[in-house]
Amino acid sequence: MSGEETAADTPLFWSEAGRTAVVVRCHLGHLAARETFEVVGGCPYCNHTPGERIAALQATRRANLQRPTRKADGNDRSCAAIIQEGTDIAQRAGAVQFALGDLALEVAPLHESHSDDLKPLSAFAEALGISPAALARYRRVAAAWPQEKRDSRTSWSTHAIFATHPDRFNLIKHPPTGPKAVWTCRTARNAMKHGSA
């Protein structure tokens, strides 16, 4: 802060300008580094007691809930929002993998002898621009899971892990207990490994 600036020229910590300034002031006019305000949970001069600091932190949380912050690059989303978006994308990707597997089954149905299946499957994979091995895996999982037996809450990868399990249709209906009560890849692998599936 230059010698010509006054405390009135320094942005308030709670203001939009104060969120990016290096030096900010509290509502009583105390000046400090913005980082200090954030670490302490308020003004380091006004908030001397832990109770006051907790109150300042709670006020900050309430202010952020009422008026979400914005960044030009959009990287200020909460972890929960990012996880939800990733989950949505993974579900769409799983639907695509099942759809490709279903199409691969139409092009090259599974038979006891796989030698005749490989040529049309490879040609189809090349036409789609994906690897024959990936398409073969999609086909194998789609064959193991008829459409009416698939669980929309469970990822394609988990369906793939359970694809060889003899009781997979019953198993998929009974996820492990927990906050979300859904199968994850980790819990599915553990179930297959320990034979509890």
Side-chain angles (χ1 to χ4, degrees), residues 81-100 138 151-160 180 182-185:
I82 292 170
I83 289 171
Q84 183 58 52
E85 183 177 344
T87 301
D88 294 343
I89 291 169
Q91 286 176 339
R92 289 195 301 270
V96 168
Q97 290 166 316
F98 269 127
L100 288 172
Y138 301 159
D151 185 350
S152 61
R153 298 167 302 145
T154 305
S155 71
W156 180 89
S157 298
T158 300
H159 282 86
K180 291 189 176 180
V182 293
W183 283 108
T184 64
C185 291

Side-chain angles (χ1 to χ4, degrees), residues 95-154:
V96 168
Q97 290 166 316
F98 269 127
L100 288 172
D102 292 337
L103 290 174
L105 282 170
E106 286 184 42
V107 170
L110 285 178
H111 300 292
E112 292 299 320
S113 169
H114 296 290
S115 59
D116 295 336
D117 294 350
L118 299 179
K119 289 180 184 177
L121 192 64
S122 294
F124 184 45
E126 186 176 335
L128 296 176
I130 62 176
S131 76
L135 189 59
R137 185 166 189 231
Y138 301 159
R139 180 181 70 157
R140 178 181 59 80
V141 175
W145 292 95
Q147 289 185 10
E148 67 276 6
K149 298 293 186 180
R150 298 170 189 171
D151 185 350
S152 61
R153 298 167 302 145
T154 305

Side-chain angles (χ1 to χ4, degrees), residues 1-85:
M1 189 164 79
S2 68
E4 297 175 3
E5 290 178 322
T6 65
D9 298 325
T10 308
L12 278 171
F13 173 62
W14 305 106
S15 70
E16 260 324 296
R19 293 185 180 278
T20 56
V22 174
V23 176
V24 292
R25 64 184 166 87
C26 74
H27 64 288
L28 295 179
H30 298 125
L31 299 177
R34 177 176 52 83
E35 184 178 359
T36 305
F37 273 76
E38 291 170 350
V39 169
V40 170
C43 177
Y45 305 104
C46 300
N47 296 326
H48 292 295
T49 68
E52 290 168 325
R53 290 179 184 163
I54 290 169
L57 284 171
Q58 290 171 341
T60 302
R61 286 190 193 108
R62 282 193 301 273
N64 287 337
L65 288 174
Q66 292 171 354
R67 184 190 43 78
T69 58
R70 294 176 305 168
K71 289 186 181 176
D73 59 5
N75 288 335
D76 61 338
R77 295 184 297 158
S78 71
C79 185
I82 292 170
I83 289 171
Q84 183 58 52
E85 183 177 344

